[in-house]
Amino acid sequence: MSGMMGMDMGDHVMQNASGMQTMSGMEHSKMQGMNKPGMNGMENSGMNMSGNHDPFYAPGSGLTPKAYNGGKFLSYTDLRAARPLYRNRAASRTIELRLTGNMERYIWSINGVKYEDADPIVLNYGERVRIRFINETMMAHPMHLHGMWSIIDTGQGARNPIKHTVSVQPGTTTDIEVEVDAPGQWAFHCHLSYHADGGMFRKVVVRGRPA
Ligand SMILES: [Cu+2]
C-alpha cells in the first residue's frame, strides 16, 4: 500500500493512514483538494473555485470516471431530492469516521480499529448528526448505515439527496447527515463484504425512543 499511496496520494494522506498524525476538522475538510502529488505548488490555489471539479472525486487521482460519446458523467452532485423528507436543520455534532486499511495486508477498519476491537457508535434519538467519512485508502467504500437515512451534503439543504448507501471515493472526504429517528441497534458497514468482514464495520446504538 505504501507504494501506491506514495505514488497516487502523497505523504499528506499516507501519514494519516498510518495514524501518526491527527488533523483538525478544518484541515480534513480541505483534504479533498490537497491529496495528490503536485498539489503543493501553484496549481493548488483555486482548485475548488474553478467550478468544474466534482468534490466527490479526488482531483488528479485518475479515478474520476469519464463519459464518452458526448455523454455526461453523473455523480452525487447531480442528485436532488424530489421532495424534502426532513426539515432542514443544523447537525448538533460531527462524528469523524476515517476509512482505513491496508490493501497489501488486506486489513480494513474504521479510525484504524477493526470491528471486534471497537466500541459502538452511540447516537441519541431525536438528534441530527453529521458523519464525516475520510477515505484514507485507495479503494472506494460504499458505506451503509442500517435503520436510518444517509443525507448526502451536496449543498442543497432540504433537497440534499437521501440514500441507503453512500460510496466514498478514494482519497476524498464525504459528509452525510443522519436524522436519528430509529431506536435500537444497527449495523453500519462498508458494503464490500470482504471489507465488512475484515473489520470495516461498526455497531450503532440509538439511545432513547419517542416520548
Ligand atoms: Cu470498503
Side-chain angles (χ1 to χ4, degrees):
M1 177 170 110
S2 59
M4 294 193 66
M5 295 285 277
M7 179 174 66
D8 292 337
M9 301 181 68
D11 292 336
H12 190 76
V13 169
M14 191 165 70
Q15 279 188 318
N16 279 281
S18 63
M20 292 174 66
Q21 183 188 15
T22 302
M23 294 194 299
S24 70
M26 188 174 157
E27 284 172 314
H28 278 308
S29 67
K30 293 190 294 189
M31 273 184 67
Q32 25 193 60
M34 294 177 60
N35 46 18
K36 76 178 187 72
M39 291 303 295
N40 302 323
M42 295 293 288
E43 56 186 306
N44 194 9
S45 60
M47 170 55 71
N48 291 322
M49 289 180 279
S50 61
N52 55 14
H53 167 64
D54 189 311
F56 291 98
Y57 292 86
S61 66
L63 297 171
T64 305
K66 288 186 175 66
Y68 291 98
N69 300 320
K72 178 183 188 295
F73 167 69
L74 298 176
S75 90
Y76 288 151
T77 57
D78 295 293
L79 292 176
R80 180 174 169 82
R83 58 177 184 278
L85 190 58
Y86 299 102
R87 70 188 172 92
N88 194 33
R89 58 172 178 156
S92 56
R93 60 189 176 117
T94 298
I95 297 171
E96 206 169 83
L97 299 180
R98 293 181 297 110
L99 308 178
T100 44
N102 183 310
M103 292 202 294
E104 284 182 355
R105 297 167 63 201
Y106 228 76
I107 292 170
W108 302 102
S109 55
I110 293 173
N111 292 338
V113 181
K114 61 186 190 295
Y115 171 65
E116 62 208 71
D117 298 327
D119 293 325
I121 296 168
V122 178
L123 305 179
N124 301 302
Y125 182 86
E127 72 174 341
R128 183 180 177 116
V129 296
R130 175 169 286 248
I131 293 172
R132 176 161 296 158
F133 296 115
I134 301 163
N135 188 348
E136 297 183 350
T137 76
M138 285 298 295
M139 290 186 73
H141 300 289
M143 298 302 294
H144 181 197
L145 171 62
H146 289 230
M148 290 158 283
W149 291 104
S150 294
I151 307 167
I152 308 176
D153 184 5
T154 59
Q156 300 180 92
R159 299 276 180 182
N160 278 336
I162 295 165
K163 291 176 61 69
H164 286 290
T165 300
V166 176
S167 203
V168 185
Q169 301 301 325
T172 65
T173 296
T174 296
D175 280 10
I176 65 165
E177 290 190 351
V178 176
E179 285 282 349
V180 182
D181 57 2
Q185 300 187 17
W186 302 101
F188 190 15
H189 61 96
C190 177
H191 230 297
L192 296 176
S193 300
Y194 40 96
H195 291 185
D197 194 54
M200 193 174 272
F201 195 113
R202 282 294 184 275
K203 179 163 82 174
V204 167
V205 176
V206 176
R207 283 190 184 142
R209 52 185 55 257

